Amino acid sequence: MEIIEQLYPLTKNESKPVNKKELALFYAMIEYIHNHFHEQLTVTAIAKQAFTNKNRCTALFNKYASTSPIKYLNNYRLNQAKDLLLQTSQSVSDISLAIGFNQLSHFIELFRLNYGLSPLKYRTFHSKTICNDAIEK
């Protein structure tokens, strides 16, 4: 929900009036991604959930999220991974599979590109930060 709340103000700033049908299609696809991110998804599968085609799906994501459907999916997965890294003791490979990546190396590469640290270093760094914050309070 928080991602949708972040995206909605972007639609208000457009000079053209928002097409409510388009927005409903876009939100249907977002909801599908959020509910099925752990599965192997394609643009065609995402588009099918809004009864549209992959070209229109891609156009709607570019218009309302300023990114492609797959980049949006991967960013959502990476956000889920951050939570799992900090809230569980699951291995990085288990987290990778749980969020829908079937190649550990691809997951680690994307995570590092987005957050500047490997998943394991991210967990270690932020676990120390959380502990230090708790001690200071």
Side-chain angles (χ1 to χ4, degrees), residues 67-119:
T67 192
S68 72
I70 297 303
K71 284 184 182 177
Y72 180 90
L73 169 64
N74 285 336
N75 286 333
Y76 186 76
R77 286 174 169 167
L78 292 173
N79 275 325
Q80 298 301 308
K82 281 187 346 182
D83 291 343
L84 290 171
L85 285 165
L86 297 179
Q87 297 171 4
T88 72
S89 60
Q90 286 182 286
S91 70
V92 172
S93 59
D94 286 345
I95 290 172
S96 174
L97 289 171
I99 62 168
F101 285 100
N102 57 6
Q103 289 186 322
L104 179 61
S105 60
H106 183 60
F107 165 64
I108 292 171
E109 178 185 343
L110 285 179
F111 196 95
R112 186 178 286 126
L113 283 171
N114 277 268
Y115 303 115
L117 297 169
S118 69

Tab-separated table of all heavy atoms in Angstrom, residues 67-119:
chain	number	residue	atom	x	y	z
A	67	THR	N	8.876	3.763	-14.695
A	67	THR	CA	9.752	2.602	-14.796
A	67	THR	C	9.014	1.495	-15.537
A	67	THR	O	7.808	1.594	-15.764
A	67	THR	CB	10.214	2.125	-13.398
A	67	THR	OG1	11.275	1.184	-13.539
A	67	THR	CG2	9.086	1.535	-12.585
A	68	SER	N	9.734	0.460	-15.879
A	68	SER	CA	9.105	-0.674	-16.562
A	68	SER	C	8.450	-1.608	-15.539
A	68	SER	O	8.792	-1.555	-14.351
A	68	SER	CB	10.159	-1.449	-17.359
A	68	SER	OG	11.007	-2.164	-16.474
A	69	PRO	N	7.549	-2.462	-15.986
A	69	PRO	CA	6.920	-3.397	-15.046
A	69	PRO	C	7.936	-4.318	-14.356
A	69	PRO	O	7.823	-4.572	-13.157
A	69	PRO	CB	5.965	-4.218	-15.924
A	69	PRO	CG	5.767	-3.414	-17.148
A	69	PRO	CD	6.972	-2.573	-17.329
A	70	ILE	N	8.928	-4.790	-15.081
A	70	ILE	CA	9.912	-5.704	-14.491
A	70	ILE	C	10.821	-4.972	-13.514
A	70	ILE	O	11.151	-5.500	-12.442
A	70	ILE	CB	10.720	-6.432	-15.592
A	70	ILE	CG1	9.785	-7.310	-16.438
A	70	ILE	CG2	11.857	-7.251	-14.996
A	70	ILE	CD1	8.986	-8.363	-15.656
A	71	LYS	N	11.199	-3.745	-13.826
A	71	LYS	CA	12.003	-2.970	-12.860
A	71	LYS	C	11.195	-2.688	-11.601
A	71	LYS	O	11.705	-2.749	-10.488
A	71	LYS	CB	12.510	-1.664	-13.484
A	71	LYS	CG	13.663	-1.873	-14.434
A	71	LYS	CD	14.188	-0.550	-14.951
A	71	LYS	CE	15.318	-0.785	-15.934
A	71	LYS	NZ	15.814	0.472	-16.502
A	72	TYR	N	9.914	-2.395	-11.776
A	72	TYR	CA	9.054	-2.177	-10.620
A	72	TYR	C	8.976	-3.450	-9.780
A	72	TYR	O	9.123	-3.414	-8.558
A	72	TYR	CB	7.644	-1.744	-11.050
A	72	TYR	CG	6.742	-1.509	-9.870
A	72	TYR	CD1	6.654	-0.256	-9.289
A	72	TYR	CD2	6.017	-2.555	-9.298
A	72	TYR	CE1	5.849	-0.042	-8.169
A	72	TYR	CE2	5.225	-2.353	-8.183
A	72	TYR	CZ	5.146	-1.096	-7.628
A	72	TYR	OH	4.373	-0.900	-6.511
A	73	LEU	N	8.750	-4.579	-10.437
A	73	LEU	CA	8.687	-5.876	-9.764
A	73	LEU	C	9.980	-6.146	-8.997
A	73	LEU	O	9.943	-6.513	-7.819
A	73	LEU	CB	8.431	-6.986	-10.787
A	73	LEU	CG	8.599	-8.427	-10.313
A	73	LEU	CD1	7.588	-8.774	-9.231
A	73	LEU	CD2	8.482	-9.382	-11.499
A	74	ASN	N	11.113	-5.957	-9.646
A	74	ASN	CA	12.394	-6.214	-8.985
A	74	ASN	C	12.629	-5.273	-7.807
A	74	ASN	O	13.127	-5.699	-6.760
A	74	ASN	CB	13.546	-6.145	-9.980
A	74	ASN	CG	13.602	-7.365	-10.873
A	74	ASN	OD1	13.107	-8.435	-10.526
A	74	ASN	ND2	14.187	-7.205	-12.041
A	75	ASN	N	12.252	-4.007	-7.941
A	75	ASN	CA	12.393	-3.073	-6.818
A	75	ASN	C	11.498	-3.474	-5.656
A	75	ASN	O	11.892	-3.378	-4.493
A	75	ASN	CB	12.096	-1.634	-7.257
A	75	ASN	CG	13.215	-1.046	-8.076
A	75	ASN	OD1	14.372	-1.438	-7.939
A	75	ASN	ND2	12.887	-0.107	-8.939
A	76	TYR	N	10.299	-3.936	-5.973
A	76	TYR	CA	9.399	-4.391	-4.913
A	76	TYR	C	9.988	-5.618	-4.218
A	76	TYR	O	9.976	-5.715	-2.990
A	76	TYR	CB	8.007	-4.700	-5.483
A	76	TYR	CG	7.011	-5.038	-4.405
A	76	TYR	CD1	6.462	-4.029	-3.622
A	76	TYR	CD2	6.652	-6.354	-4.139
A	76	TYR	CE1	5.562	-4.326	-2.609
A	76	TYR	CE2	5.757	-6.657	-3.127
A	76	TYR	CZ	5.222	-5.634	-2.364
A	76	TYR	OH	4.340	-5.933	-1.344
A	77	ARG	N	10.501	-6.539	-5.011
A	77	ARG	CA	11.147	-7.726	-4.442
A	77	ARG	C	12.319	-7.340	-3.546
A	77	ARG	O	12.501	-7.906	-2.464
A	77	ARG	CB	11.640	-8.641	-5.552
A	77	ARG	CG	10.549	-9.399	-6.261
A	77	ARG	CD	11.097	-10.171	-7.431
A	77	ARG	NE	10.103	-11.091	-7.965
A	77	ARG	CZ	10.225	-11.700	-9.134
A	77	ARG	NH1	11.292	-11.495	-9.883
A	77	ARG	NH2	9.282	-12.527	-9.546
A	78	LEU	N	13.123	-6.403	-3.986
A	78	LEU	CA	14.286	-5.981	-3.195
A	78	LEU	C	13.856	-5.330	-1.886
A	78	LEU	O	14.502	-5.515	-0.851
A	78	LEU	CB	15.181	-5.050	-4.015
A	78	LEU	CG	15.885	-5.713	-5.201
A	78	LEU	CD1	16.601	-4.669	-6.046
A	78	LEU	CD2	16.844	-6.794	-4.746
A	79	ASN	N	12.755	-4.578	-1.917
A	79	ASN	CA	12.225	-4.007	-0.665
A	79	ASN	C	11.783	-5.106	0.290
A	79	ASN	O	11.999	-5.013	1.499
A	79	ASN	CB	11.048	-3.066	-0.954
A	79	ASN	CG	11.499	-1.673	-1.287
A	79	ASN	OD1	12.474	-1.186	-0.741
A	79	ASN	ND2	10.801	-1.036	-2.199
A	80	GLN	N	11.166	-6.134	-0.258
A	80	GLN	CA	10.766	-7.271	0.572
A	80	GLN	C	11.997	-7.965	1.150
A	80	GLN	O	12.006	-8.383	2.307
A	80	GLN	CB	9.935	-8.271	-0.247
A	80	GLN	CG	8.639	-7.719	-0.792
A	80	GLN	CD	7.715	-7.206	0.292
A	80	GLN	OE1	7.433	-7.903	1.248
A	80	GLN	NE2	7.255	-5.978	0.137
A	81	ALA	N	13.030	-8.078	0.339
A	81	ALA	CA	14.278	-8.717	0.782
A	81	ALA	C	14.904	-7.948	1.938
A	81	ALA	O	15.388	-8.563	2.903
A	81	ALA	CB	15.266	-8.815	-0.379
A	82	LYS	N	14.892	-6.618	1.851
A	82	LYS	CA	15.440	-5.809	2.955
A	82	LYS	C	14.739	-6.149	4.260
A	82	LYS	O	15.394	-6.346	5.289
A	82	LYS	CB	15.267	-4.303	2.668
A	82	LYS	CG	16.268	-3.741	1.729
A	82	LYS	CD	16.203	-2.230	1.565
A	82	LYS	CE	15.005	-1.525	2.080
A	82	LYS	NZ	14.994	-0.090	1.847
A	83	ASP	N	13.426	-6.218	4.235
A	83	ASP	CA	12.673	-6.549	5.443
A	83	ASP	C	13.042	-7.934	5.963
A	83	ASP	O	13.247	-8.123	7.163
A	83	ASP	CB	11.169	-6.477	5.177
A	83	ASP	CG	10.675	-5.058	4.944
A	83	ASP	OD1	11.395	-4.103	5.296
A	83	ASP	OD2	9.561	-4.916	4.400
A	84	LEU	N	13.109	-8.899	5.066
A	84	LEU	CA	13.437	-10.268	5.478
A	84	LEU	C	14.858	-10.363	6.032
A	84	LEU	O	15.112	-11.108	6.987
A	84	LEU	CB	13.263	-11.236	4.302
A	84	LEU	CG	11.821	-11.481	3.857
A	84	LEU	CD1	11.783	-12.278	2.560
A	84	LEU	CD2	11.033	-12.187	4.953
A	85	LEU	N	15.767	-9.620	5.459
A	85	LEU	CA	17.154	-9.635	5.948
A	85	LEU	C	17.239	-9.133	7.384
A	85	LEU	O	18.014	-9.651	8.186
A	85	LEU	CB	18.058	-8.791	5.047
A	85	LEU	CG	18.424	-9.411	3.708
A	85	LEU	CD1	18.995	-8.356	2.775
A	85	LEU	CD2	19.401	-10.564	3.897
A	86	LEU	N	16.443	-8.137	7.700
A	86	LEU	CA	16.518	-7.527	9.030
A	86	LEU	C	15.590	-8.188	10.045
A	86	LEU	O	15.826	-8.103	11.242
A	86	LEU	CB	16.198	-6.036	8.936
A	86	LEU	CG	17.177	-5.216	8.089
A	86	LEU	CD1	16.751	-3.758	8.041
A	86	LEU	CD2	18.597	-5.350	8.589
A	87	GLN	N	14.546	-8.845	9.588
A	87	GLN	CA	13.548	-9.382	10.508
A	87	GLN	C	13.595	-10.899	10.671
A	87	GLN	O	12.872	-11.442	11.493
A	87	GLN	CB	12.144	-8.971	10.049
A	87	GLN	CG	11.946	-7.475	10.076
A	87	GLN	CD	10.648	-7.049	9.412
A	87	GLN	OE1	9.848	-7.874	8.989
A	87	GLN	NE2	10.447	-5.745	9.309
A	88	THR	N	14.424	-11.571	9.863
A	88	THR	CA	14.523	-13.027	9.970
A	88	THR	C	15.996	-13.435	9.980
A	88	THR	O	16.873	-12.611	9.718
A	88	THR	CB	13.836	-13.746	8.780
A	88	THR	OG1	14.628	-13.572	7.605
A	88	THR	CG2	12.424	-13.248	8.559
A	89	SER	N	16.219	-14.693	10.239
A	89	SER	CA	17.576	-15.233	10.161
A	89	SER	C	17.716	-16.144	8.940
A	89	SER	O	18.663	-16.923	8.850
A	89	SER	CB	17.917	-16.001	11.434
A	89	SER	OG	17.009	-17.069	11.611
A	90	GLN	N	16.786	-16.030	8.004
A	90	GLN	CA	16.847	-16.823	6.783
A	90	GLN	C	18.150	-16.542	6.038
A	90	GLN	O	18.644	-15.401	6.047
A	90	GLN	CB	15.700	-16.484	5.843
A	90	GLN	CG	14.352	-17.016	6.241
A	90	GLN	CD	13.321	-16.641	5.189
A	90	GLN	OE1	12.915	-15.480	5.123
A	90	GLN	NE2	12.912	-17.600	4.374
A	91	SER	N	18.662	-17.543	5.356
A	91	SER	CA	19.867	-17.340	4.556
A	91	SER	C	19.542	-16.451	3.354
A	91	SER	O	18.387	-16.338	2.942
A	91	SER	CB	20.415	-18.680	4.071
A	91	SER	OG	19.555	-19.231	3.090
A	92	VAL	N	20.573	-15.848	2.800
A	92	VAL	CA	20.406	-14.987	1.633
A	92	VAL	C	19.826	-15.795	0.471
A	92	VAL	O	18.940	-15.316	-0.243
A	92	VAL	CB	21.741	-14.316	1.242
A	92	VAL	CG1	21.632	-13.584	-0.082
A	92	VAL	CG2	22.194	-13.361	2.340
A	93	SER	N	20.271	-17.015	0.301
A	93	SER	CA	19.741	-17.835	-0.802
A	93	SER	C	18.260	-18.174	-0.581
A	93	SER	O	17.475	-18.164	-1.530
A	93	SER	CB	20.569	-19.102	-1.009
A	93	SER	OG	20.586	-19.882	0.143
A	94	ASP	N	17.860	-18.439	0.664
A	94	ASP	CA	16.446	-18.701	0.953
A	94	ASP	C	15.595	-17.461	0.699
A	94	ASP	O	14.485	-17.555	0.163
A	94	ASP	CB	16.257	-19.175	2.391
A	94	ASP	CG	16.728	-20.609	2.607
A	94	ASP	OD1	16.939	-21.336	1.608
A	94	ASP	OD2	16.891	-21.001	3.776
A	95	ILE	N	16.107	-16.312	1.084
A	95	ILE	CA	15.382	-15.055	0.839
A	95	ILE	C	15.254	-14.811	-0.656
A	95	ILE	O	14.183	-14.446	-1.149
A	95	ILE	CB	16.071	-13.871	1.558
A	95	ILE	CG1	15.890	-14.008	3.072
A	95	ILE	CG2	15.534	-12.538	1.049
A	95	ILE	CD1	16.685	-13.017	3.891
A	96	SER	N	16.326	-15.031	-1.378
A	96	SER	CA	16.312	-14.849	-2.826
A	96	SER	C	15.214	-15.679	-3.476
A	96	SER	O	14.437	-15.173	-4.306
A	96	SER	CB	17.680	-15.231	-3.402
A	96	SER	OG	17.672	-15.205	-4.802
A	97	LEU	N	15.124	-16.938	-3.090
A	97	LEU	CA	14.080	-17.815	-3.639
A	97	LEU	C	12.692	-17.387	-3.173
A	97	LEU	O	11.734	-17.406	-3.951
A	97	LEU	CB	14.343	-19.263	-3.231
A	97	LEU	CG	15.529	-19.945	-3.913
A	97	LEU	CD1	15.800	-21.295	-3.265
A	97	LEU	CD2	15.290	-20.095	-5.407
A	98	ALA	N	12.577	-16.975	-1.918
A	98	ALA	CA	11.280	-16.600	-1.347
A	98	ALA	C	10.667	-15.373	-2.020
A	98	ALA	O	9.451	-15.237	-2.076
A	98	ALA	CB	11.419	-16.353	0.155
A	99	ILE	N	11.514	-14.489	-2.523
A	99	ILE	CA	10.999	-13.276	-3.152
A	99	ILE	C	10.914	-13.375	-4.671
A	99	ILE	O	10.582	-12.395	-5.337
A	99	ILE	CB	11.813	-12.033	-2.741
A	99	ILE	CG1	13.251	-12.155	-3.190
A	99	ILE	CG2	11.689	-11.768	-1.256
A	99	ILE	CD1	14.056	-10.887	-3.090
A	100	GLY	N	11.234	-14.557	-5.220
A	100	GLY	CA	11.008	-14.759	-6.645
A	100	GLY	C	12.215	-14.753	-7.547
A	100	GLY	O	12.069	-14.849	-8.761
A	101	PHE	N	13.416	-14.635	-6.992
A	101	PHE	CA	14.604	-14.715	-7.829
A	101	PHE	C	15.051	-16.170	-7.890
A	101	PHE	O	15.247	-16.792	-6.857
A	101	PHE	CB	15.747	-13.853	-7.264
A	101	PHE	CG	15.555	-12.384	-7.482
A	101	PHE	CD1	15.087	-11.584	-6.457
A	101	PHE	CD2	15.832	-11.796	-8.705
A	101	PHE	CE1	14.904	-10.213	-6.640
A	101	PHE	CE2	15.650	-10.437	-8.901
A	101	PHE	CZ	15.181	-9.645	-7.867
A	102	ASN	N	15.249	-16.687	-9.083
A	102	ASN	CA	15.697	-18.065	-9.182
A	102	ASN	C	17.211	-18.179	-9.353
A	102	ASN	O	17.742	-19.279	-9.371
A	102	ASN	CB	14.954	-18.831	-10.289
A	102	ASN	CG	15.087	-18.169	-11.639
A	102	ASN	OD1	15.805	-17.206	-11.802
A	102	ASN	ND2	14.373	-18.695	-12.614
A	103	GLN	N	17.886	-17.038	-9.478
A	103	GLN	CA	19.338	-17.025	-9.547
A	103	GLN	C	19.877	-16.135	-8.428
A	103	GLN	O	19.655	-14.919	-8.422
A	103	GLN	CB	19.831	-16.499	-10.889
A	103	GLN	CG	19.584	-17.447	-12.038
A	103	GLN	CD	20.213	-16.945	-13.307
A	103	GLN	OE1	20.208	-15.741	-13.580
A	103	GLN	NE2	20.757	-17.857	-14.094
A	104	LEU	N	20.592	-16.751	-7.513
A	104	LEU	CA	21.152	-16.021	-6.378
A	104	LEU	C	22.082	-14.906	-6.837
A	104	LEU	O	22.034	-13.794	-6.308
A	104	LEU	CB	21.887	-16.991	-5.444
A	104	LEU	CG	22.550	-16.392	-4.223
A	104	LEU	CD1	21.526	-15.713	-3.322
A	104	LEU	CD2	23.310	-17.469	-3.451
A	105	SER	N	22.903	-15.178	-7.825
A	105	SER	CA	23.863	-14.169	-8.294
A	105	SER	C	23.151	-12.933	-8.833
A	105	SER	O	23.596	-11.799	-8.609
A	105	SER	CB	24.798	-14.753	-9.354
A	105	SER	OG	24.053	-15.211	-10.463
A	106	HIS	N	22.037	-13.121	-9.526
A	106	HIS	CA	21.272	-11.985	-10.056
A	106	HIS	C	20.671	-11.171	-8.911
A	106	HIS	O	20.700	-9.933	-8.932
A	106	HIS	CB	20.173	-12.492	-10.995
A	106	HIS	CG	19.382	-11.416	-11.650
A	106	HIS	ND1	19.935	-10.457	-12.471
A	106	HIS	CD2	18.056	-11.139	-11.607
A	106	HIS	CE1	19.003	-9.633	-12.889
A	106	HIS	NE2	17.843	-10.027	-12.384
A	107	PHE	N	20.129	-11.855	-7.913
A	107	PHE	CA	19.584	-11.176	-6.738
A	107	PHE	C	20.662	-10.339	-6.053
A	107	PHE	O	20.455	-9.158	-5.761
A	107	PHE	CB	19.000	-12.200	-5.760
A	107	PHE	CG	18.733	-11.648	-4.391
A	107	PHE	CD1	17.793	-10.647	-4.191
A	107	PHE	CD2	19.432	-12.121	-3.285
A	107	PHE	CE1	17.544	-10.126	-2.927
A	107	PHE	CE2	19.191	-11.613	-2.021
A	107	PHE	CZ	18.241	-10.616	-1.841
A	108	ILE	N	21.823	-10.924	-5.805
A	108	ILE	CA	22.907	-10.216	-5.115
A	108	ILE	C	23.362	-9.015	-5.932
A	108	ILE	O	23.571	-7.920	-5.387
A	108	ILE	CB	24.076	-11.169	-4.798
A	108	ILE	CG1	23.636	-12.198	-3.752
A	108	ILE	CG2	25.304	-10.401	-4.333
A	108	ILE	CD1	24.633	-13.316	-3.517
A	109	GLU	N	23.474	-9.194	-7.237
A	109	GLU	CA	23.897	-8.098	-8.117
A	109	GLU	C	22.903	-6.931	-8.069
A	109	GLU	O	23.297	-5.766	-7.906
A	109	GLU	CB	24.031	-8.623	-9.545
A	109	GLU	CG	24.426	-7.572	-10.565
A	109	GLU	CD	24.422	-8.132	-11.985
A	109	GLU	OE1	24.429	-9.368	-12.151
A	109	GLU	OE2	24.406	-7.310	-12.921
A	110	LEU	N	21.609	-7.233	-8.203
A	110	LEU	CA	20.590	-6.179	-8.148
A	110	LEU	C	20.551	-5.510	-6.776
A	110	LEU	O	20.392	-4.285	-6.677
A	110	LEU	CB	19.209	-6.737	-8.486
A	110	LEU	CG	18.924	-7.048	-9.943
A	110	LEU	CD1	17.521	-7.608	-10.106
A	110	LEU	CD2	19.104	-5.819	-10.807
A	111	PHE	N	20.670	-6.298	-5.727
A	111	PHE	CA	20.655	-5.746	-4.367
A	111	PHE	C	21.817	-4.776	-4.192
A	111	PHE	O	21.644	-3.667	-3.697
A	111	PHE	CB	20.732	-6.878	-3.331
A	111	PHE	CG	20.346	-6.440	-1.956
A	111	PHE	CD1	19.043	-6.611	-1.508
A	111	PHE	CD2	21.264	-5.838	-1.103
A	111	PHE	CE1	18.667	-6.184	-0.238
A	111	PHE	CE2	20.900	-5.415	0.166
A	111	PHE	CZ	19.600	-5.586	0.597
A	112	ARG	N	22.995	-5.185	-4.614
A	112	ARG	CA	24.184	-4.341	-4.486
A	112	ARG	C	24.037	-3.058	-5.306
A	112	ARG	O	24.386	-1.972	-4.838
A	112	ARG	CB	25.436	-5.112	-4.917
A	112	ARG	CG	26.722	-4.325	-4.667
A	112	ARG	CD	27.969	-5.105	-5.039
A	112	ARG	NE	28.222	-6.142	-4.045
A	112	ARG	CZ	28.385	-7.428	-4.324
A	112	ARG	NH1	28.307	-7.857	-5.563
A	112	ARG	NH2	28.623	-8.290	-3.377
A	113	LEU	N	23.495	-3.168	-6.513
A	113	LEU	CA	23.294	-1.985	-7.353
A	113	LEU	C	22.317	-1.001	-6.710
A	113	LEU	O	22.498	0.212	-6.801
A	113	LEU	CB	22.768	-2.390	-8.731
A	113	LEU	CG	23.783	-2.965	-9.707
A	113	LEU	CD1	23.080	-3.519	-10.943
A	113	LEU	CD2	24.800	-1.908	-10.108
A	114	ASN	N	21.272	-1.516	-6.057
A	114	ASN	CA	20.252	-0.656	-5.465
A	114	ASN	C	20.642	-0.088	-4.107
A	114	ASN	O	20.249	1.020	-3.771
A	114	ASN	CB	18.931	-1.425	-5.343
A	114	ASN	CG	18.159	-1.414	-6.629
A	114	ASN	OD1	17.330	-0.550	-6.868
A	114	ASN	ND2	18.438	-2.364	-7.507
A	115	TYR	N	21.356	-0.860	-3.309
A	115	TYR	CA	21.613	-0.450	-1.924
A	115	TYR	C	23.086	-0.263	-1.577
A	115	TYR	O	23.408	0.103	-0.452
A	115	TYR	CB	20.958	-1.445	-0.948
A	115	TYR	CG	19.479	-1.582	-1.192
A	115	TYR	CD1	18.938	-2.780	-1.621
A	115	TYR	CD2	18.622	-0.495	-1.036
A	115	TYR	CE1	17.583	-2.898	-1.871
A	115	TYR	CE2	17.270	-0.607	-1.294
A	115	TYR	CZ	16.757	-1.806	-1.705
A	115	TYR	OH	15.414	-1.916	-1.959
A	116	GLY	N	23.979	-0.528	-2.525
A	116	GLY	CA	25.396	-0.278	-2.304
A	116	GLY	C	26.112	-1.321	-1.461
A	116	GLY	O	27.300	-1.168	-1.193
A	117	LEU	N	25.406	-2.333	-1.022
A	117	LEU	CA	25.983	-3.401	-0.205
A	117	LEU	C	25.404	-4.734	-0.667
A	117	LEU	O	24.285	-4.778	-1.170
A	117	LEU	CB	25.625	-3.224	1.278
A	117	LEU	CG	26.115	-1.986	2.013
A	117	LEU	CD1	25.426	-1.878	3.363
A	117	LEU	CD2	27.623	-2.047	2.198
A	118	SER	N	26.158	-5.795	-0.447
A	118	SER	CA	25.598	-7.121	-0.692
A	118	SER	C	24.528	-7.372	0.364
A	118	SER	O	24.527	-6.720	1.415
A	118	SER	CB	26.685	-8.187	-0.599
A	118	SER	OG	27.121	-8.319	0.749
A	119	PRO	N	23.628	-8.304	0.142
A	119	PRO	CA	22.586	-8.581	1.142
A	119	PRO	C	23.161	-8.928	2.522
A	119	PRO	O	22.661	-8.448	3.541
A	119	PRO	CB	21.814	-9.763	0.554
A	119	PRO	CG	22.037	-9.658	-0.916
A	119	PRO	CD	23.412	-9.098	-1.075
